[in-house]
Amino acid sequence: MPALSQPVPGPATPAASTPQAAAPIAGERLAAVRARGRLQVCMWPEYFAISYRNPRNGALEGIDIDMARALAARLGLPLHFVETNFAEFMDRLERGDCDVAMMAVGVLPARQARVDFSRPTMASPVYGVTSKDGPRITRWEDIDQPGIAVAVAAGTLMEPLMRQTLQRAELVVVSPPNTREAEVQAGRADLFMSDFPYTRRMLLMHDWARIIEPPGRFGETAYAYAVPKGEAAWLAEVDAFVAAAKADGSLAAAAARHGLTPILVRD
């Protein structure tokens, strides 16, 4: 899906009415957010239970949609969502298109080189998703075998993880607007790799999908909110918000509302 700015109902300001400002000088993000008069949040609208546009009504929903609204309320500012994906969100943060990425961003070393992270909100292992009709993969040990094609979404944490893990299978990196599930359904991939929220979407919405459970906590990664590098005051503000949401139970309530309690990080 193309990266588009998308306003939300209520106090959010439509994109057409306010041109994007240039990226603020490093260290001035919090002041720039307040001076602009609205909070701009990067999110990926295909992330079920996290930051998801419901196709039935067009509404945005998920734990990080709820948390973005709570952060805007804490700051006393209108909220504006900026649509992106995992291949592009760091570019958009650096350009100043958004102030924070709230889309269950996995904390990875390559990302830490470019953005800073709040304390984690969730942590998930990596699962496989294949077709019930596909006889080639019935257990985890069947994945890394000659002739098997494993799909991952470009820019997600699964891409470097599976590059390091696979020794015999072929890695298929899927870029938008193509999708991992379409690759499996078309027979170009035998399965795709994803996390707890996305695989639960597959079970709920696709009767052809079968989940391959990982051994132990394979690929477990902490998820947090990402902010531009060198923004200590802004990072402290986002971190304080996460701490408060954990302390008052609002993060746990949002996780329960969206079926994510099993991967919630409570401390």
Side-chain angles (χ1 to χ4, degrees):
M1 175 176 291
L4 302 172
S5 294
Q6 173 66 35
V8 296
T13 305
S17 64
T18 306
Q20 294 288 345
I25 298 171
E28 297 181 356
R29 178 74 57 165
L30 180 57
V33 170
R34 296 195 182 282
R36 185 199 306 125
R38 75 175 182 182
L39 175 67
Q40 299 183 166
V41 174
C42 267
M43 62 85 187
W44 180 41
E46 299 296 323
Y47 207 165
F48 184 76
I50 302 293
S51 53
Y52 181 62
R53 177 172 290 106
N54 190 319
R56 284 174 287 194
N57 57 20
L60 293 173
E61 57 190 42
I63 187 172
D64 282 346
I65 298 298
D66 294 351
M67 289 295 100
R69 289 172 174 148
L71 176 57
R74 174 186 172 95
L75 295 170
L77 295 173
L79 172 63
H80 180 79
F81 284 118
V82 178
E83 293 187 13
T84 186
N85 55 57
F86 282 98
E88 299 176 357
F89 81 92
M90 290 187 290
D91 294 336
R92 305 208 72 175
L93 280 171
E94 290 169 346
R95 288 201 306 262
D97 295 346
C98 52
D99 307 302
V100 56
M102 301 180 74
M103 44 194 264
V105 182
V107 182
L108 303 176
R111 291 173 178 168
Q112 288 175 305
R114 292 182 60 185
V115 299
D116 288 328
F117 287 95
S118 70
R119 63 183 65 194
T121 58
M122 295 174 286
S124 174
V126 171
Y127 301 80
V129 180
T130 190
S131 172
K132 289 178 181 177
D133 298 331
R136 305 181 70 189
I137 300 175
T138 61
R139 55 180 188 155
W140 191 266
E141 291 75 14
D142 296 332
I143 295 174
D144 190 18
Q145 299 298 331
I148 298 296
V150 180
V152 296
T156 63
L157 64 91
M158 292 78 187
E159 183 180 355
L161 174 67
M162 298 314 293
R163 284 193 190 282
Q164 296 168 6
T165 301
L166 296 178
Q167 300 295 319
R168 294 173 290 276
E170 174 193 358
L171 182 66
V172 178
V173 179
V174 182
S175 297
N178 298 325
T179 66
R180 296 162 292 181
E181 50 266 47
E183 296 300 298
V184 172
Q185 287 188 285
R188 292 185 292 270
D190 295 285
L191 85 166
F192 71 85
M193 312 305 295
S194 195
D195 61 359
F196 182 90
Y198 204 90
T199 55
R200 270 54 201 174
R201 173 200 181 188
M202 295 302 299
L203 289 179
L204 286 170
M205 301 182 69
H206 300 284
D207 58 7
W208 59 265
R210 178 160 50 90
I211 306 301
I212 305 297
E213 296 280 340
R217 303 288 291 181
F218 172 78
E220 183 170 52
T221 302
Y223 296 155
Y225 303 139
V227 302
K229 273 286 185 188
E231 299 289 348
W234 179 226
L235 176 60
E237 182 71 31
V238 175
D239 238 354
F241 163 72
V242 174
K246 290 184 176 186
D248 67 16
S250 57
L251 180 63
R257 194 157 51 244
H258 298 288
L260 299 174
T261 299
I263 62 170
L264 183 67
V265 174
R266 297 181 181 275
D267 54 11

